[in-house]
Amino acid sequence: MDNKIEDCIEQRRELIPNRRDVQLRHQIIETKIYTRRWLILMIFVIYSASNAMQWIQYSIIANIVERYYKVTSVLVDLTSMIFMIAYIPFIFPASYLLDKFGLRVAVIAGAIGTAIGSWIKVFSVSPNLFWTAFLGQTIVAISQTFVLSVPSRLAAVWFGPDQVSSACSIGVFGNQLGIAIGFLFPPILVPNSDDPDLVARGFQIMLYIVAAITSLVLVLILLFFKAQPPLPPSPAQAVQRDNESAEDFIQSVKRLLTNVGYLLLLLSYGINVGIFYAISTLLNQIILEYFPGHEEDAGRVGLTIVCAGMLGSVVCGIVLDKTHKYKETTLGIYICSFLGMIIFTFTLDIDRIYVVYITSAVLGFFMTGYLPVGFELAAELTYPEPEGTSAGLLNAVTQVFGILFTILYRYLIKLLGDLWANIILCIALAIGAFFTTIIPNDLRRQNAKF
């Protein structure tokens, strides 16, 4: 009997090249890696960037926005924090939509919302229309719920087991690329001028460019983005497809919330990324405190943080694919983030802007590079739960921590000064590193590869 099964497998391999056939008792699961996966991933990267570049769009030029719209710094910071606030209630319906209807429906929903919000902001270029800008920003923020949970799901659905971590890191790269653009271009396009007409022209150029990009992205998604390949890329994904056909979303969430390793990851991941959000939101104020009149440098420092983080994301994804040392890599990056934060804290007052660029790059490489590693560890700890659900819940907790740390950071800077505020963030990162050390090394997805 065994010889007959082996002969059958060999015959199928001859008839269907480029496919890997896996014998599971009385069933043969066919898998195939499709070249189209790279097109799907690149479209997602552009889509993710078009949404993320609007997150910090107003906060990075906070002093200009305050003066032009005659609003307080708290309201300007809220244009960034709304991305965190909106994510919390909307991630659950967004995750349900992703798990129930697949990648294409979720991505189209996010692209439509991002384009609509971007066009609403086009009509906010007047000193008395800040709330129109905020409305558009809120719609874009809600649309973000259809972006952040996708990378790990897209990687698992389209890529083989030896590329899934790299693909996830490239997907996260899209979000970081957008943030980098959001740091760089607003200070360049919107001048720090006392002439309101000149400032208005800068806002108009910036907002029209963003609206045009998001519209083009929507067209690309409608034409080329597919939900999943005809055949799964790995045996683990084939098993997961069968599970999802009868999956209950609420039961999946309940199982996640009773997974001790995943809960520890929620805490450690939330602390790390929440601190990154807080620093990014208040970066303009931090830089101008030490270097008055350096609005463009504030944007470039943010760009440096994110670009170094994009490199870190890709490097970490490759390391994971080569070593499959998920917990060890996560802990190593976390400790380096902690050390990077210490260096950033104690070099701000050196009065050399190039030092800030260097320390920011170190901080960004590890703190932003941690993002895809956390996604992948979550997928390992929670398999065979849908990646969209585990990543969505992970991001929801991250937004809560982002809001809390942003509020706390602002309060501590005013109460104690930036030095002690940054020291307290260092202590928080140390606590997060401790949580990471006690996460069980339970790599369920790796164990299901074959």
Side-chain angles (χ1 to χ4, degrees), residues 55 176 179 183 271-281 305-306 364 367-368 371:
W55 167 49
Q176 303 310 306
I179 295 173
F183 274 121
I271 290 171
N272 190 303
V273 184
I275 288 174
F276 169 73
Y277 286 169
I279 292 173
S280 299
T281 299
I305 292 174
V306 178
M367 188 169 279
T368 312
L371 296 175

Side-chain angles (χ1 to χ4, degrees), residues 83-92 95 145 148-149 262 266 269-270 277 375 388-403:
F83 276 71
M84 309 173 208
I85 296 169
Y87 194 91
I88 298 167
F90 285 100
I91 183 53
F92 295 104
S95 293
T145 58
L148 293 185
S149 302
Y262 180 68
L266 287 180
Y269 190 88
Y277 286 169
F375 273 141
T389 306
S390 63
L393 193 56
L394 194 69
N395 278 316
V397 171
T398 296
Q399 309 310 314
V400 173
F401 276 91
I403 294 168

Side-chain angles (χ1 to χ4, degrees), residues 25 47 68 76 146 189-190 219-220 235 243 296 307 315 444:
R25 292 182 179 269
Y47 156 63
Y68 180 75
V76 179
F146 298 100
L189 296 175
V190 184
V219 172
L220 288 174
N243 289 343
E296 290 193 18
C307 286
V315 169
R444 300 180 182 181

Side-chain angles (χ1 to χ4, degrees), residues 419-446:
L419 176 62
W420 281 104
N422 286 329
I423 289 174
I424 291 172
L425 294 189
C426 290
I427 295 172
L429 281 172
I431 295 171
F434 169 74
F435 285 140
T436 304
T437 62
I438 58 177
I439 294 174
N441 197 19
D442 184 15
L443 305 183
R444 300 180 182 181
R445 188 174 63 180
Q446 288 299 306

Side-chain angles (χ1 to χ4, degrees), residues 32-104:
K32 182 178 179 181
I33 308 296
Y34 292 82
T35 304
R36 187 187 184 93
R37 69 192 185 279
W38 294 110
L39 173 63
I40 299 296
L41 183 58
M42 288 304 103
I43 291 175
F44 174 77
V45 166
I46 300 170
Y47 156 63
S48 179
S50 72
N51 180 279
M53 68 185 181
Q54 302 185 58
W55 167 49
I56 210 76
Q57 189 176 52
Y58 293 105
S59 293
I60 197 59
I61 51 172
N63 57 318
I64 300 173
V65 176
E66 289 172 38
R67 186 172 62 246
Y68 180 75
Y69 284 107
K70 298 179 177 59
V71 293
T72 65
S73 61
V74 174
L75 287 177
V76 179
D77 290 342
L78 197 58
T79 63
S80 168
M81 291 176 63
I82 191 62
F83 276 71
M84 309 173 208
I85 296 169
Y87 194 91
I88 298 167
F90 285 100
I91 183 53
F92 295 104
S95 293
Y96 176 79
L97 188 70
L98 175 62
D99 293 336
K100 184 72 174 178
F101 299 101
L103 283 169
R104 178 173 168 83

